[in-house]
Every structure is written in structure tokens, then in C-alpha cells.
Amino acid sequence: MYKSPARTRRRLLLLLAVPLLVALACSTISIGSGSKETEIAVSLQATRNAEKEATLVAQQTQVEVQQAATSTLDLPATQAAQSTTDAAAVATQKVENARSTATQAQSVKQTATAAVDMRATQQAQPLIDWIQKLANEGAISTTAGAYYPIEDLDKSVAQINYFSWWDTGYSAENFAILTDVAWDVASDKANWFNTGCGFVFADQDDDFYFFLKLSLDGMATLRSRKFDNWNMLSQKKFGKPTIPSGQANVLMIVLDQRVKLYVDDQPILDSYASALRPGQINLSLSSGINTGFGTRCQFTNAGLWIFDQ
């Protein structure tokens, strides 16, 4: 407890003063004549007054000391209370900032989700329209299924009479695929019958699959391959593609053991394929040239409709 040095000295002087006053009073009583009651009464009253004054001074000193001590003790408490209030204010502001940030993030997320949904709907609509149209015409038996977007693909191969394919990430037996296809060849001279873009499907391994190719000689060819044996299923002319560069919109439907092909909205091929089975769905490229970049195929705006099994 804090004590003021001046007030401590004052208290000691007072404590010393009380006995002194009492002693003086006693000496007055003892050295008096003893026969005069008036002098004794005066002396006793003086003693009582001195004691009373000393007591009052001592009490006031004690009150001042307690007030000083209380003030000293209350200072850290006041500072602590202020610090607590300040900390609470800071914490409240942080909570408000976090809520504001979360609200803004949610708003951005909802806006982005709406934009993605709109783009997905816009991309899916052409294929959905095709499915409904063909069902209305009786060309397909069902519309039940789900839409899946396919990432754009841009590939080139410079190896003559060679073909390759890339997985879309989806596998099914009954499906429809719609895509814009653009081709480009490094020269105006190539094996056009073996140059083009297409699809590999019902692919469970490299030993058996189906292969549909749109070659730049204008022919659409459907084959199946089992081990090293190729089986021609159908071949139809789809038009006169521009070379060395051109483009087309292509729809292929594989449903109920039939393969249908539409190029630029025109029906081209409708072939029965009894060996169809579930398998990977792939995009393919055939190169009839090994000059420069060879043959390039670009698949864009691609979407997949997988029919319910």
C-alpha cells in the first residue's frame, strides 16, 4: 500500500503529541496545590480538549491515507477496465469486418454461379434442342438423360497415315455428342482419305472400339476394330470439305445399337452396330501428312448427352 512520507511523519508527531499532552495534564494535577477544585477542573477539561483534538486529527489523517491508498489501487483497475473496453471494441469491429467480408464473398459466389449456370445452359441448349427434335420425329426412342460439357480440345499430329484419340472423361453406351470441328493441314497435298477428325467410342481397351471419321475427301466412315481386324460398318459422303482448312458442326448419336451422324444439320449416316457396349468416349484425329505441324483438329462448344440406361 502506498503511503505519503509527509503524512506518515505527521501521524507519528500526532501519536507522540497525545501522550505528551496527557503527561502535561497529569503534571498539572500533581503539582497543583490539591486544595483548589477549580484548578483541577480546568486542568481536566484542558486534557479532554487536547485528547479530542488529537483524536480528530488522527482520524482525518487516517481518512486521507485511506483515500490516497484507494486512489493508488484504483488506478490500475481503471486502466485495466479501459483496456478491456478498448479490446472489446476492437474485437467487435473485427467481427463486423468478417461478416462484411463473408457477405461480399457470398455475393460474388452467387454472381459467379449464376454466370456459370447461364453459360452452361447456353452451351447445352443446342444439343437439348436436337434431342427433342429427333424424339418428336421418332428418330430416337427417348430423351431421358443428362447433359455434360466437354472441354475444348486442340491437337495436331505430323505423322502420315496415323491416328490418335483423347479421352473426354466420360463413358457410356447410349449417348449423343455435339461439337464444332475445325481442321487445318500444313500443306495442300496430303492423303485426304486418311486426314480428318472424328470419334472413338465403346472403348474399354485398345483391342476393341468403334471409330467414326470425317475425312477430308468428303467421306464419313464408321468402322469397328477388334485386335488388328477392321470391320467396315458404313461409309457415306457428307459433302465437299474445304481444304486445307475448314469447319463443320457435327452431331453423333449412339443409341439402341445404332449410330447416327448429322453434319451441318443434315442426316448423313444411320448404321446398326450390334457389338456396341459401354466404354470411353474420345475425340480423334487422323493425319495423312508429316509436313510441318501435320494435321490439326479443334473441337469447341462440345457437349455430351448421356441417355438413362
Side-chain angles (χ1 to χ4, degrees), residues 5-303:
R7 289 176 178 173
T8 301
R9 288 194 297 272
R10 181 179 176 184
R11 186 178 181 182
L12 291 173
L13 290 173
L14 288 171
L15 294 175
L16 292 173
V18 173
L20 180 60
L21 291 173
V22 173
L24 289 174
C26 294
S27 62
T28 303
I29 295 171
S30 60
I31 63 174
S33 62
S35 61
K36 296 180 180 180
E37 295 180 358
T38 302
E39 291 180 4
I40 294 173
V42 171
S43 297
L44 289 174
Q45 185 61 45
T47 300
R48 292 190 186 98
N49 292 338
E51 288 178 348
K52 183 176 181 181
E53 182 180 356
T55 300
L56 290 174
V57 173
Q59 290 175 346
Q60 181 63 33
T61 301
Q62 185 176 5
V63 169
E64 291 177 357
V65 170
Q66 288 176 347
Q67 289 176 344
T70 301
S71 176
T72 303
L73 289 174
D74 285 347
L75 181 59
T78 302
Q79 292 175 340
Q82 185 62 45
S83 298
T84 301
T85 302
D86 294 343
V90 171
T92 301
Q93 187 60 51
K94 287 183 178 180
V95 170
E96 292 300 325
N97 293 342
R99 287 176 178 171
S100 176
T101 301
T103 301
Q104 292 175 358
Q106 182 64 23
S107 177
V108 170
K109 179 181 178 180
Q110 290 174 345
T111 302
T113 300
V116 170
D117 289 344
M118 180 176 295
R119 289 195 297 271
T121 300
Q122 291 173 344
Q123 184 174 340
Q125 197 60 52
L127 181 51
I128 293 172
D129 292 343
W130 261 111
I131 296 298
Q132 190 62 58
K133 175 179 181 293
L134 294 175
N136 292 341
E137 294 173 353
I140 60 175
S141 61
T142 181
T143 61
Y147 177 83
Y148 302 91
I150 297 175
E151 292 184 3
D152 292 349
L153 182 70
D154 185 345
K155 294 292 183 179
S156 60
V157 174
Q159 188 172 345
I160 195 166
N161 298 334
Y162 177 86
F163 87 103
S164 186
W165 64 87
W166 296 268
D167 186 9
T168 63
Y170 297 98
S171 179
E173 179 177 350
N174 298 306
F175 64 92
I177 184 169
L178 177 67
T179 181
D180 291 324
V181 180
W183 57 84
D184 191 16
V185 184
S187 173
D188 58 0
K189 297 184 182 298
N191 292 336
W192 301 118
F193 70 92
N194 222 9
T195 302
C197 312
F199 310 98
V200 171
F201 54 99
D203 171 29
Q204 292 184 354
D205 51 56
D206 292 342
D207 293 330
F208 180 79
Y209 50 82
F210 285 80
F211 177 40
L212 176 62
K213 176 178 65 174
L214 279 73
S215 54
L216 297 186
D217 62 354
M219 301 302 294
T221 305
L222 176 64
R223 295 186 176 97
S224 65
R225 179 179 183 270
K226 188 173 183 178
F227 299 107
D228 291 328
N229 298 319
W230 287 95
N231 180 28
M232 174 74 74
L233 298 176
S234 181
Q235 188 173 56
K236 301 289 183 178
K237 190 170 183 63
F238 71 88
K240 188 177 181 180
T242 58
I243 52 175
S245 301
Q247 59 185 6
N249 180 261
V250 180
L251 169 68
M252 182 180 70
I253 299 177
V254 180
L255 180 64
D256 299 331
Q257 296 188 320
R258 300 199 70 85
V259 179
K260 299 177 184 290
L261 175 69
Y262 297 79
V263 178
D264 291 331
D265 298 337
Q266 299 302 312
I268 303 299
L269 183 151
D270 185 351
S271 177
Y272 178 67
S274 61
L276 280 170
R277 62 180 186 176
Q280 291 180 352
I281 303 166
N282 312 292
L283 306 176
S284 71
L285 178 154
S286 299
S287 179
I289 187 173
N290 54 10
T291 302
F293 63 81
T295 302
R296 174 178 292 117
C297 287
Q298 294 176 304
F299 297 84
T300 57
N301 302 315

